[in-house]
């Protein structure tokens, strides 16, 4: 029988090394298997992937934008090694998603003990949402690795002078997390306070605070200078909620929305356990290691921030936004059941892991996909092949969004990335006019179902698209010749 010790800071015994290796191997196999049989779902994933490819061709240092540049600066160099926008970012995310398992294990072990670490690691390894995001080109999987890895190294660095070296890479990872997603900004004030509490050094805490504040401040200034809006990311999020028809809701309704969205990913049994486990963690605070207090503070900060986001996003809140909070909750779910039996019996731990997986299975998420898809975008692949081999290959191309399948065109034909524009609800009429009148596209890629966006194009051109000859068609996707409609 495997002995599961309750120690939190000692070196891992062989039994734990085997458990951690097993959880990591399971995570890798599940993520690679999903990667091999799927594509990025249309939308943000392909867009992130092609931006990384573009960066690899002409590197630059982003100083402004809607999306912070952390993922771009991480995945862009990956395209130097493998110049394939369809897989380069996804392969890197699989690797970082797998490495998140040991990061969570070691951090949870330091904070709440081995039982929490084992359950948290195996649950994360087999959690459908994290498996999907790790196999996608989205930012959540690397963000989570950077956050957990950074917190782990910072906590290790505060164990004593001999481990102080870990503070630099720890802060670097946390900074990179803040460069990957805006949620990383919420946690930044906690770390200087934690360093002050653990080290009693005001200079160390102040230095850490300055390092952590550098990127958010520079990004706000850069956006103010370049875009006239320091909070361009928040503005885009509010606009996106409006596009989705979301209305502002109150805090109580937002709590219900958060619970519903979270239950769709981990099941109602685990959602119901989160407030109980959090309350237990708070009540037992004196019994926990300092890392437990850090994880609890990060978790509470996340849910407060996400509650505010939900108040204006309502039904447009995506489940992937909840990833950090739900992952931090997984190890804490053991706390209400903590006892000598859990600390010493592998069978009790196995039961807890199986119960967690059963809750996952109750959501139906093992059978469904949201952030990757098994459907190969064949029609867009054929369109890309036709345009790239024809006389208009060097011309500007405009597309309607086609439920964001338009994002696949550059995946199959990367050279068109700088010579294409997508007409969608996200852009204003003056941008549509610029794409059509200033860029003078030779072709329009569209489908009949995009009625609203086709109508916007017709208003700008002053004529119906029925007058444009059909140059090519693959399934419902049509390529219209605009040479006679667009002034040149």
């Amino acid at each position: 029988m495997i002995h599961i010790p309750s120690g939190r800071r000692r070196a891992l015994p062989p039994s734990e090394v085997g458990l951690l290796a097993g959880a990591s191997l399971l995570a890798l196999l599940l993520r690679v298997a999903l990667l091999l049989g799927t594509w990025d779902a249309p939308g943000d994933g392909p867009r992130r992937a092609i931006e990384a490819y573009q960066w690899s061709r002409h590197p630059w240092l982003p100083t402004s934008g809607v999306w912070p540049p952390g993922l771009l600066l991480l995945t862009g160099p990956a395209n130097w090694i493998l110049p394939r926008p369809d897989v380069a970012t996804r392969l890197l995310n699989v690797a970082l998603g797998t490495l998140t398992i040991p990061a969570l294990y070691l951090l949870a072990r330091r904070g709440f003990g081995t039982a929490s670490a084992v359950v948290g690691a195996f649950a994360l390894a087999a959690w459908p949402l994290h498996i999907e995001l790790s196999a996608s080109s989205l930012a959540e999987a690397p963000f989570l690795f950077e956050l957990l890895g950074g917190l782990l190294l910072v906590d290790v660095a505060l164990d004593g002078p001999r481990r102080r070296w870990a503070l630099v890479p720890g802060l670097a990872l946390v900074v990179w997390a803040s460069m990957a997603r805006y949620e990383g900004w919420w946690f930044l004030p906690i770390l200087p306070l934690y360093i002050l509490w653990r080290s009693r050094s005001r200079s160390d805490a102040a230095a850490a605070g300055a390092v952590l504040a550098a990127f958010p401040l520079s990004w706000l200034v850069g956006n103010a200078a370049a875009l006239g809006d320091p909070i361009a990311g928040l503005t885009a999020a509010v606009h996106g909620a409006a596009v989705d028809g979301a209305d502002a809701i109150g805090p109580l309704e937002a709590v219900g929305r958060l619970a519903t969205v979270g239950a769709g990913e981990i099941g109602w049994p685990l959602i119901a356990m989160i407030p109980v486990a959090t309350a237990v963690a708070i009540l037992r605070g004196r019994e926990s290691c300092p890392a437990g207090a850090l994880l609890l503070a990060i978790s509470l900060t996340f849910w407060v921030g996400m509650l505010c986001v939900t108040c204006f996003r309502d039904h447009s809140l995506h489940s992937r936004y909840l990833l950090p909070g739900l992952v931090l909750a997984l190890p804490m779910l053991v706390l209400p059941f903590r006892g000598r039996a859990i600390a010493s019996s592998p069978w009790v731990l196995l039961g807890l892991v199986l119960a967690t997986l059963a809750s996952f299975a109750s959501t139906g998420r093992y059978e469904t996909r949201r952030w990757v898809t098994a459907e190969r975008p064949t029609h867009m692949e054929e369109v890309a092949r036709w345009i790239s081999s024809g006389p208009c290959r060097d011309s500007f191309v405009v597309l309607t969004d086609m439920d964001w399948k338009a994002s696949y065109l550059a995946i199959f034909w990367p050279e068109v990335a700088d010579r294409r524009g997508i007409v969608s609800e996200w852009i204003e009429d003056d941008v549509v006019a610029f794409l059509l009148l200033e860029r003078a596209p030779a072709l329009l890629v569209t489908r009949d179902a995009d009625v609203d966006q086709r109508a916007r194009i017709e208003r700008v051109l002053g004529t119906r698209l029925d007058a444009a000859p059909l140059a090519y068609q693959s399934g419902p996707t049509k390529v219209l010749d605009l040479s006679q409609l667009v002034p040149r």
Side-chain angles (χ1 to χ4, degrees), residues 9 90 154 197 304 465:
R9 292 178 183 256
R90 300 181 69 199
V154 168
W197 176 48
V304 170
L465 289 176

Side-chain angles (χ1 to χ4, degrees), residues 53 93 125 130 186 191 220 222 263 298 315 357 362 383 402 480:
Y53 178 85
N93 278 2
H130 191 255
W186 307 345
L191 278 179
L220 292 172
I298 296 288
H315 65 262
L357 299 185
S362 70
V383 166
M402 295 175 283
L480 303 182

Side-chain angles (χ1 to χ4, degrees), residues 101-428:
I101 307 304
L104 177 65
Y105 185 98
L106 296 174
L107 187 58
R109 184 178 187 266
R110 293 175 66 86
F112 303 119
T114 301
S116 291
V118 171
V119 173
F122 276 95
L124 182 60
W127 186 24
L129 178 61
H130 191 255
I131 295 171
E132 275 191 61
L133 293 173
S134 299
S136 78
S137 297
L138 296 168
E140 281 77 10
F143 166 71
L144 184 66
F145 167 75
E146 291 153 4
L147 176 64
L148 296 182
L151 294 177
L152 173 63
L153 288 175
V154 168
D155 192 60
V156 167
L158 297 174
D159 283 350
R162 296 181 62 182
R163 298 189 175 186
R164 193 54 59 93
W165 61 267
L167 190 59
V168 172
L171 290 176
L173 279 175
V174 174
V175 168
W176 210 290
S178 74
M179 294 171 60
R181 290 194 61 83
Y182 289 112
E183 295 96 303
W185 294 21
W186 307 345
F187 312 134
L188 297 183
I190 295 175
L191 278 179
L193 295 175
Y194 184 69
I195 292 171
L196 178 62
W197 176 48
R198 290 283 310 276
S199 69
R200 307 300 182 188
S201 171
R202 294 182 180 180
S203 59
D204 286 353
V211 169
L212 295 172
F215 170 73
L217 291 177
S218 64
W219 193 247
L220 292 172
V221 171
N223 275 339
L227 307 177
D229 181 7
I231 54 171
L234 178 60
T235 301
V238 173
H239 176 67
V243 167
D244 290 339
D247 296 319
I249 58 177
L252 290 179
E253 192 175 353
V255 170
R257 173 63 61 184
L258 280 172
T260 301
V261 174
E265 297 296 341
I266 66 173
W268 281 108
L270 295 186
I271 284 293
M273 282 298 302
I274 289 179
V276 176
T278 302
V280 170
I282 293 173
L283 292 174
R284 294 178 177 172
R286 292 184 178 180
E287 304 174 22
S288 300
C289 288
L294 175 62
L295 291 178
L296 183 60
I298 296 288
S299 181
L300 291 173
T301 302
F302 173 84
W303 289 117
V304 170
M306 194 52 63
L307 180 67
C308 297
V309 170
T310 307
C311 284
F312 73 82
R313 294 214 64 141
D314 190 18
H315 65 262
S316 69
L317 181 76
H318 295 310
S319 60
R320 59 189 172 95
Y321 299 164
L322 308 187
L323 181 73
L326 294 177
V327 168
L328 291 173
L330 292 177
M332 290 196 291
L333 294 174
V334 175
L335 298 182
F337 306 99
R338 195 186 68 175
R340 298 183 66 180
I342 291 180
S344 60
S345 172
W347 303 112
V348 176
L349 282 176
L350 177 62
L352 289 172
V353 170
L354 293 178
T356 301
L357 299 185
S359 186
F360 293 167
S362 70
T363 67
R365 289 285 280 112
Y366 283 112
E367 294 79 36
T368 60
R369 300 284 180 265
R370 292 179 184 170
W371 310 114
V372 294
T373 176
E375 179 184 355
R376 185 182 181 91
T378 304
H379 300 314
M380 194 56 67
E381 183 178 15
E382 293 174 351
V383 166
R385 186 182 304 117
W386 182 83
I387 299 177
S388 64
S389 61
C392 296
R393 60 168 289 111
D394 296 323
S395 302
F396 191 81
V397 178
V398 70
L399 308 91
T400 55
D401 60 42
M402 295 175 283
D403 283 337
W404 288 107
K405 289 183 173 63
S407 59
Y408 288 125
L409 181 68
I411 293 295
F412 291 113
W413 182 24
E415 290 74 15
V416 81
D418 292 324
R419 292 185 286 103
R420 58 92 164 90
I422 300 175
V423 177
S424 73
E425 293 178 303
W426 283 75
I427 65 173
E428 305 296 336

